[in-house]
Every structure is written in C-alpha cells, then in structure tokens.
Amino acid sequence: MAGSGKTTFMQRINAHLHGQKEPPYVINLDPAVLSVPFEANIDIRDSVNYKEVQSQYNLGPNGAILTSLNLFSTKVDQIVGLLEKRSTPTEENKTPIKNILVDTPGQIEVFVWSASGQILLESLASSFPTVIAYVIDTPRTASTSTFMSNMLYACSILYKTKLPMILVFNKTDVKDASFAKEWMTDYEAFQEALQNDENGNAFGGVEGEGGGSGYMGSLLNSMSLMLEEFYAHLSVVGVSSMTGQGIDDFFVAVKEKSEEFQRDYQPELERKRNEREENKRRAREKELDKMMKGMSMATGASSSATPGGVQPPNDDDLDVISDGDDGDDFADDDEMDREGLQARYEAAMQGEDESTMADASFAKYIHTQRQG
C-alpha cells in the first residue's frame, strides 16, 4: 500500500545481498518514479517515457502508468531471455546471478489487476521460482480494521497471482510486529483487540457509549474466522528497512517459499502451460480440417464442370478399366486424402520444402503436387 516503505525495503535487501557478495539482478517496473536509491539493471524508464505517454494519450497518472506497463510488457520475452542467460553458468558467465529483485509500480492496483502485470508475473514464474513480498506499514496496522484491510488485500493478491507470498511487516523500528503475528495465530487475541477498539469508539458511535452500530465489529469478527485458513499458507516476517533488522529472517522465508514454489506451484504452472499448448494444437487442427474440407469441396465442384456447360457423362458411358490395369491411374486420388494433405502441409510449414513454398502459395503447391 502507499507509504509502506516498498522502495526503502528494496534498497535494504539490495544492499544486504551486495554485502553478502551475491549482487542481485534488479528490475525497476515503476515508470513514474523520479529517482531510485539503487542501481537497476533493467529500468522501464529506459524504454518508456512516462510523461510522453501521459501527454500523447491524454491520460491521468494511473492510466499513464498502466499504459507504460502495457508497452513494456511487449518486451517480456527479451527480458526473460536475458535473465535466463545471466542466471545460467557458462564460460563467459562464471558468476551467475542467484537473486532477481523486481520493484513493481507504486500503485499496487495497476500491477496486480492489469493484464500486463499478469503477463510479467507468469513469464517470470515460467522460468524462475517467483515469490511475492507484500510490504505492510506496521504502525498504521495497529488498529483491527486497518489490519483486516491489509489481510484482505494480501488474500486477493495471493489468489490472483497464485504464487507463494511473504507478509513483510515493515518499520518495526517504530512499532514491533509481534501484535500482528499474534492476531494471525491467536483468534482470541484478535477478539480482545477488536473489543477494545469497539469500546474506544474506533468504529464510530455515541461518545462515551462505545461500540458504534456493531456492524463493523461483527464484520471484522466474521472475516477473522474466514482468514484463518489463509494465514496458514503465509510466511510472516518483521523488518526494518531503516536499520536492517529482520532482513536475514526475510531471506530465510524466501528460501522456504522458493522450495514451496518448486514443490507445489511449479507442477500446476506446468499443467496450465501444457493445457494451453494442447488447446492451441487443437485449434490449429480444427482450422486445418476446415481448410481441407473446403479444398475438397472446391476440387469436387471443379471436376464436375465441363467446358461449355456440357453435362458430364453418366455412369453407363464411362470406360471400364481392363482386368490388366492395376489401378495406378488412381494413385493421384490418394494424394487428396486428408492425411496426405495434412502431412505435406505440415512438412511445408516446417520448412522441409521451402523452395516450393517460396515460389507459390499453399494452394498452388497442392495443385503442383497433384499434377506431378
């Protein structure tokens, strides 16, 4: 959320990895930021001019960020290819990178709920163990209502991205995050804090009476019950981006979630990828089948027509093949069966007969084969 210290946290984990002699590969995806306190290996601002996009398309701040991200996502294949090259040990690359840090746009809605954000995340997850770090402003989460709002937001992000998530309670130098961890593991502790907020008119109501209408307390109580299962799948760490406290715990959680990704998430991603490829293959086969049927109908119609509109002879007028004829004259008919056409079409599309396809269209290629 805004003001939670995402950029400062990014700077801290970047400096921590440099201190461990394991410099990360850093990607900045925020086109509107004026300056970043770390050096980015890939910066969206080098490819897309945010102000120019805003002016050219007559957009507001959020619309310009989203459009810039859409434009940048067209280069995602180049980005993933570069990352794969840098993370693979070779003779030229003797020190491959171990960590990739991605700083997302400041407006979280722009990244999480946009098609370009999903494309970037899925592209990264297809090649690397990918973990989401959701940064929370700990002092502002001290009230039960703000805490629950953050938890609901984290829940929606988890199920939208379908990737392992770490809750990072930032600014623990100002307020310790132990209360939040307790609320997530102890239902009665949250109920007690909720009751205190109600008695203190945190949800409105008549001064001195407390409790308000009771609607907010009942809603938060119900949501806390619902989120118990959600809490069980999260890693929670408290950090201070200013002092560096808890950064080691964060990277321990990253390692655990990376293993969880490979164990639980990667098989599902592979299944979805295979399903998409199978659907594409079926669609291509369906289109090919329709084309073959259309060509077969066109061939039948042209063979039944004669010059001058003369009707073709009936069956009684047809010549009969002699007993000595082995039927070789009809070998060409077998060339028009769907399997033969499909095999030659696929061979041609794969470049096995590039000279023929360079000289003529596919229809002419088929006609040439029939004549030959």
Side-chain angles (χ1 to χ4, degrees), residues 278-332:
E278 180 64 18
N279 291 336
K280 290 180 181 178
R281 186 187 65 79
R282 289 178 181 176
R284 287 195 297 266
E285 288 184 353
K286 186 177 180 181
E287 290 299 319
L288 180 62
D289 192 54
K290 287 170 62 178
M291 185 182 68
M292 294 303 170
K293 289 180 179 179
M295 291 178 62
S296 178
M297 292 177 63
T299 304
S302 61
S303 63
S304 63
T306 56
V310 179
Q311 292 296 326
N314 57 33
D315 293 343
D316 295 336
D317 296 328
L318 293 176
D319 292 334
V320 179
I321 302 175
S322 63
D323 294 338
D325 196 336
D326 59 0
D328 289 341
D329 294 337
F330 289 89
D332 287 341

Side-chain angles (χ1 to χ4, degrees), residues 199-273:
N199 294 336
N201 292 315
F203 309 134
V206 180
E207 185 68 28
E209 295 184 6
S213 64
Y215 168 77
M216 181 62 82
S218 176
L219 178 63
L220 294 176
N221 182 38
S222 301
M223 288 191 293
S224 64
L225 284 171
M226 181 270 293
L227 290 176
E228 278 189 322
E229 181 67 21
F230 167 68
Y231 295 150
H233 295 84
L234 292 177
S235 293
V236 182
V237 294
V239 304
S240 171
S241 297
M242 293 297 294
T243 65
Q245 176 188 354
I247 297 299
D248 289 327
D249 295 336
F250 170 74
F251 280 102
V252 170
V254 168
K255 184 177 180 181
E256 292 175 355
K257 287 300 178 180
S258 176
E259 294 171 354
E260 180 183 328
F261 175 92
Q262 295 173 330
R263 183 182 67 249
D264 300 333
Y265 288 80
Q266 198 162 27
E268 178 66 14
L269 290 172
E270 290 289 342
R271 185 191 66 79
K272 288 184 176 180
R273 187 184 302 112

Side-chain angles (χ1 to χ4, degrees), residues 15 40 81 135 151 180 197 243 304 340:
V135 185
M151 294 301 104
D197 282 351
T243 65
S304 63

